[in-house]
């Protein structure tokens, strides 16, 4: 326990002084009574209440005074309280293939609308982060309960180039609380080159003094909104399927599940980009395998009911955690109740309120 104003604890010395004053006053009354009456006749003249009827109200008043003086120092305790530790990272594909219009008005706009709906349906205490990915992944918003910040970041998403889903998975996992120091899989690093860390210098990411085992951390989730086509790898010598398998294993080992929302229509479509026609594939199978490999879920199509079910499943992870809370008001309330109780007992036993 700590105190905001510890100097006020010196006020507790008033209690023994007050008790001493009461003892002195009581003995003075006894000496005064003996001076005006015979000690043997005193019980017949003055009715003395039982000692318990005097001491109990007094003890309650002293306890109330102690609590009030203690509360004046504004104590801060850390009682274990239920806390929602759920954390989710939304990974939105911003590659050029997301410009395809097989979803109205485009896959990217549909993904943004789905992300906004998911944020709306998630519990307000759920921490949600945002990462965009194309050739590489960018950590846009670290997990937070600030919904407005997330919505503004989603609104700013713009199409880029190619797609690297494994980059999105690795970055999304490391954005979750307690996992920043996890090293990305060595197999996904380009041989002989250092891959820039997308989380380097991010101010909002909390760091822990000691990195716990991922299995000791609350479970996390990465929700991927993509058309499933992954055509760029950080390690060009590694096939796409192998890259996705390694990224999924990295997520599973970090106690993170992947939930996927495929964006597109079966069979793909032809889209005109920069004046030229391109066939844009739709590959939900990649996303389905990622979800299966980590114990997550692939949801297609992402209807509102399906989003509500996923948000409910992921949005609450209750853990008992010590939370710093000032308890001065609680102590003051208890002191008030003790004073009321002391007054009631005194009124009943002695026909007067102290």
């Amino acid at each position: 326990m700590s105190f905001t104003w510890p100097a006020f604890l010196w006020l507790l010395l008033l209690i023994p002084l007050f008790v001493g004053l009461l003892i002195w006053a009581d003995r003075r009354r006894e000496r005064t009574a003996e001076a005006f009456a015979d000690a043997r006749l005193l019980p017949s003249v003055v009715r003395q209440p039982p000692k318990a009827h005097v001491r109990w109200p007094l003890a309650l008043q002293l306890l109330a005074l102690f609590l009030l003086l203690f509360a004046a120092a504004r104590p801060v305790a850390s009682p274990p309280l239920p806390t929602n530790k759920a954390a989710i990272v939304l990974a939105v594909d911003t590659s050029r293939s997301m410009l395809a219009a097989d979803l109205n008005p485009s896959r990217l706009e549909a993904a943004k609308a789905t992300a906004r709906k998911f944020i709306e349906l998630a519990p307000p205490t759920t921490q949600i982060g945002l990462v965009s990915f194309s050739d590489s992944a960018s950590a846009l918003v670290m997990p937070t309960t600030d919904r407005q910040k997330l919505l503004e970041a989603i609104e700013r998403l713009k199409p880029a180039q190619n797609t690297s889903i494994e980059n999105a998975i690795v970055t999304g996992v490391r954005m979750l609380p307690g996992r920043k120091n996890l090293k990305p899989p060595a197999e996904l690093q380009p041989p002989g080159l250092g891959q820039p860390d997308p989380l380097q210098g991010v101010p909002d990411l909390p760091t822990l003094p000691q990195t716990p085992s991922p299995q000791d951390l609350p479970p996390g989730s990465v929700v991927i909104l993509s058309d499933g086509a992954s055509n760029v790898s950080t390690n060009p010598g590694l096939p796409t399927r192998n890259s996705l398998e390694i990224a999924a294993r990295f997520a599973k080992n970090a106690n993170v599940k992947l939930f996927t929302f495929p964006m597109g229509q079966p069979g793909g479509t032809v889209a005109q980009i920069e004046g030229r026609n391109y066939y844009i594939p739709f590959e939900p199978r990649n996303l389905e395998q990622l979800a299966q490999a980590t114990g997550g879920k692939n949801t297609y199509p992402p209807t509102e009911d399906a989003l509500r079910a996923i948000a409910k499943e992921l949005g609450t992870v209750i853990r008992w955690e010590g939370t710093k809370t000032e308890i001065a008001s609680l102590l003051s309330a208890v002191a008030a109740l003790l004073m009321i109780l002391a007054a009631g007992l005194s009124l009943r036993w002695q026909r007067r309120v102290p």
Side-chain angles (χ1 to χ4, degrees), residues 289-310:
Q289 290 174 343
L290 288 172
Q292 290 176 349
T294 59
K297 186 180 297 183
N298 182 69
T299 303
Y300 182 79
T303 61
E304 182 172 339
D305 289 341
L307 286 175
R308 182 177 287 105
I310 295 295

Short mmCIF file of all heavy atoms in Angstrom, two decimals, residues 289-310:
data_model
loop_
_atom_site.label_atom_id
_atom_site.label_comp_id
_atom_site.label_asym_id
_atom_site.label_seq_id
_atom_site.Cartn_x
_atom_site.Cartn_y
_atom_site.Cartn_z
N GLN A 289 -6.52 -22.25 -44.15
CA GLN A 289 -5.44 -23.08 -43.58
C GLN A 289 -4.75 -22.36 -42.42
O GLN A 289 -4.37 -23.00 -41.43
CB GLN A 289 -4.44 -23.42 -44.68
CG GLN A 289 -4.98 -24.40 -45.72
CD GLN A 289 -4.02 -24.63 -46.87
OE1 GLN A 289 -3.08 -23.85 -47.09
NE2 GLN A 289 -4.25 -25.69 -47.64
N LEU A 290 -4.60 -21.05 -42.51
CA LEU A 290 -3.99 -20.29 -41.42
C LEU A 290 -4.84 -20.40 -40.16
O LEU A 290 -4.32 -20.60 -39.06
CB LEU A 290 -3.84 -18.82 -41.82
CG LEU A 290 -2.75 -18.51 -42.85
CD1 LEU A 290 -2.85 -17.05 -43.28
CD2 LEU A 290 -1.37 -18.80 -42.29
N ALA A 291 -6.14 -20.25 -40.32
CA ALA A 291 -7.04 -20.33 -39.16
C ALA A 291 -7.00 -21.73 -38.55
O ALA A 291 -6.92 -21.88 -37.32
CB ALA A 291 -8.46 -19.96 -39.57
N GLN A 292 -7.03 -22.75 -39.38
CA GLN A 292 -7.01 -24.13 -38.88
C GLN A 292 -5.71 -24.43 -38.15
O GLN A 292 -5.71 -25.11 -37.12
CB GLN A 292 -7.21 -25.11 -40.04
CG GLN A 292 -8.61 -25.10 -40.63
CD GLN A 292 -8.73 -26.02 -41.84
OE1 GLN A 292 -7.72 -26.51 -42.37
NE2 GLN A 292 -9.95 -26.26 -42.29
N ALA A 293 -4.59 -23.92 -38.65
CA ALA A 293 -3.29 -24.24 -38.06
C ALA A 293 -3.11 -23.65 -36.67
O ALA A 293 -2.31 -24.15 -35.88
CB ALA A 293 -2.17 -23.73 -38.98
N THR A 294 -3.87 -22.61 -36.35
CA THR A 294 -3.69 -21.94 -35.05
C THR A 294 -4.88 -22.12 -34.12
O THR A 294 -4.90 -21.55 -33.02
CB THR A 294 -3.45 -20.43 -35.26
OG1 THR A 294 -4.58 -19.87 -35.96
CG2 THR A 294 -2.18 -20.19 -36.06
N GLY A 295 -5.88 -22.89 -34.54
CA GLY A 295 -7.07 -23.07 -33.70
C GLY A 295 -8.05 -21.93 -33.80
O GLY A 295 -8.95 -21.79 -32.96
N GLY A 296 -7.89 -21.08 -34.83
CA GLY A 296 -8.80 -19.97 -35.04
C GLY A 296 -10.00 -20.38 -35.88
O GLY A 296 -10.40 -21.54 -35.91
N LYS A 297 -10.54 -19.41 -36.59
CA LYS A 297 -11.75 -19.68 -37.37
C LYS A 297 -11.73 -18.83 -38.64
O LYS A 297 -11.38 -17.65 -38.62
CB LYS A 297 -12.98 -19.36 -36.53
CG LYS A 297 -14.31 -19.74 -37.19
CD LYS A 297 -15.48 -19.37 -36.28
CE LYS A 297 -15.42 -20.14 -34.97
NZ LYS A 297 -16.59 -19.86 -34.11
N ASN A 298 -12.12 -19.47 -39.75
CA ASN A 298 -12.27 -18.76 -41.02
C ASN A 298 -13.76 -18.47 -41.22
O ASN A 298 -14.59 -19.37 -41.12
CB ASN A 298 -11.74 -19.62 -42.17
CG ASN A 298 -11.85 -18.91 -43.51
OD1 ASN A 298 -11.15 -17.94 -43.77
ND2 ASN A 298 -12.73 -19.40 -44.37
N THR A 299 -14.10 -17.22 -41.47
CA THR A 299 -15.51 -16.82 -41.58
C THR A 299 -15.77 -16.21 -42.95
O THR A 299 -15.21 -15.15 -43.29
CB THR A 299 -15.86 -15.78 -40.48
OG1 THR A 299 -15.57 -16.33 -39.20
CG2 THR A 299 -17.33 -15.41 -40.54
N TYR A 300 -16.62 -16.89 -43.73
CA TYR A 300 -16.98 -16.40 -45.06
C TYR A 300 -18.44 -16.76 -45.36
O TYR A 300 -18.81 -17.91 -45.22
CB TYR A 300 -16.07 -16.98 -46.13
CG TYR A 300 -16.37 -16.45 -47.52
CD1 TYR A 300 -15.91 -15.19 -47.90
CD2 TYR A 300 -17.13 -17.20 -48.42
CE1 TYR A 300 -16.20 -14.69 -49.17
CE2 TYR A 300 -17.42 -16.71 -49.68
CZ TYR A 300 -16.96 -15.45 -50.06
OH TYR A 300 -17.24 -14.95 -51.30
N PRO A 301 -19.23 -15.78 -45.75
CA PRO A 301 -18.93 -14.34 -45.77
C PRO A 301 -19.02 -13.75 -44.36
O PRO A 301 -19.73 -14.30 -43.50
CB PRO A 301 -20.03 -13.78 -46.67
CG PRO A 301 -21.19 -14.71 -46.46
CD PRO A 301 -20.59 -16.07 -46.25
N PRO A 302 -18.35 -12.64 -44.10
CA PRO A 302 -18.38 -12.04 -42.76
C PRO A 302 -19.65 -11.23 -42.52
O PRO A 302 -19.64 -9.99 -42.53
CB PRO A 302 -17.13 -11.15 -42.76
CG PRO A 302 -16.92 -10.80 -44.20
CD PRO A 302 -17.39 -11.98 -44.99
N THR A 303 -20.75 -11.92 -42.30
CA THR A 303 -22.02 -11.25 -42.05
C THR A 303 -22.00 -10.61 -40.66
O THR A 303 -21.13 -10.89 -39.84
CB THR A 303 -23.18 -12.24 -42.14
OG1 THR A 303 -22.99 -13.25 -41.13
CG2 THR A 303 -23.22 -12.92 -43.51
N GLU A 304 -23.01 -9.77 -40.40
CA GLU A 304 -23.06 -9.10 -39.11
C GLU A 304 -23.21 -10.11 -37.97
O GLU A 304 -22.57 -9.95 -36.91
CB GLU A 304 -24.21 -8.10 -39.07
CG GLU A 304 -24.29 -7.33 -37.75
CD GLU A 304 -25.30 -6.20 -37.78
OE1 GLU A 304 -25.66 -5.76 -38.89
OE2 GLU A 304 -25.73 -5.76 -36.70
N ASP A 305 -24.02 -11.13 -38.16
CA ASP A 305 -24.19 -12.15 -37.12
C ASP A 305 -22.87 -12.89 -36.87
O ASP A 305 -22.52 -13.18 -35.72
CB ASP A 305 -25.29 -13.14 -37.52
CG ASP A 305 -26.67 -12.53 -37.46
OD1 ASP A 305 -26.82 -11.48 -36.78
OD2 ASP A 305 -27.60 -13.07 -38.09
N ALA A 306 -22.15 -13.20 -37.96
CA ALA A 306 -20.87 -13.89 -37.80
C ALA A 306 -19.86 -12.99 -37.09
O ALA A 306 -19.11 -13.44 -36.22
CB ALA A 306 -20.34 -14.32 -39.17
N LEU A 307 -19.85 -11.70 -37.45
CA LEU A 307 -18.94 -10.76 -36.79
C LEU A 307 -19.27 -10.63 -35.31
O LEU A 307 -18.38 -10.56 -34.46
CB LEU A 307 -19.03 -9.39 -37.46
CG LEU A 307 -18.38 -9.25 -38.84
CD1 LEU A 307 -18.66 -7.87 -39.41
CD2 LEU A 307 -16.89 -9.49 -38.76
N ARG A 308 -20.56 -10.59 -34.99
CA ARG A 308 -20.97 -10.46 -33.58
C ARG A 308 -20.50 -11.68 -32.79
O ARG A 308 -20.02 -11.55 -31.65
CB ARG A 308 -22.49 -10.32 -33.49
CG ARG A 308 -23.00 -10.13 -32.05
CD ARG A 308 -24.49 -9.92 -31.98
NE ARG A 308 -24.86 -8.59 -32.45
CZ ARG A 308 -25.42 -8.34 -33.63
NH1 ARG A 308 -25.68 -9.34 -34.48
NH2 ARG A 308 -25.73 -7.12 -33.98
N ALA A 309 -20.62 -12.87 -33.39
CA ALA A 309 -20.19 -14.09 -32.69
C ALA A 309 -18.67 -14.09 -32.47
O ALA A 309 -18.20 -14.45 -31.38
CB ALA A 309 -20.61 -15.32 -33.49
N ILE A 310 -17.91 -13.68 -33.48
CA ILE A 310 -16.45 -13.64 -33.35
C ILE A 310 -16.03 -12.59 -32.33
O ILE A 310 -15.15 -12.82 -31.49
CB ILE A 310 -15.79 -13.36 -34.71
CG1 ILE A 310 -16.06 -14.52 -35.68
CG2 ILE A 310 -14.29 -13.16 -34.54
CD1 ILE A 310 -15.46 -15.83 -35.28
#
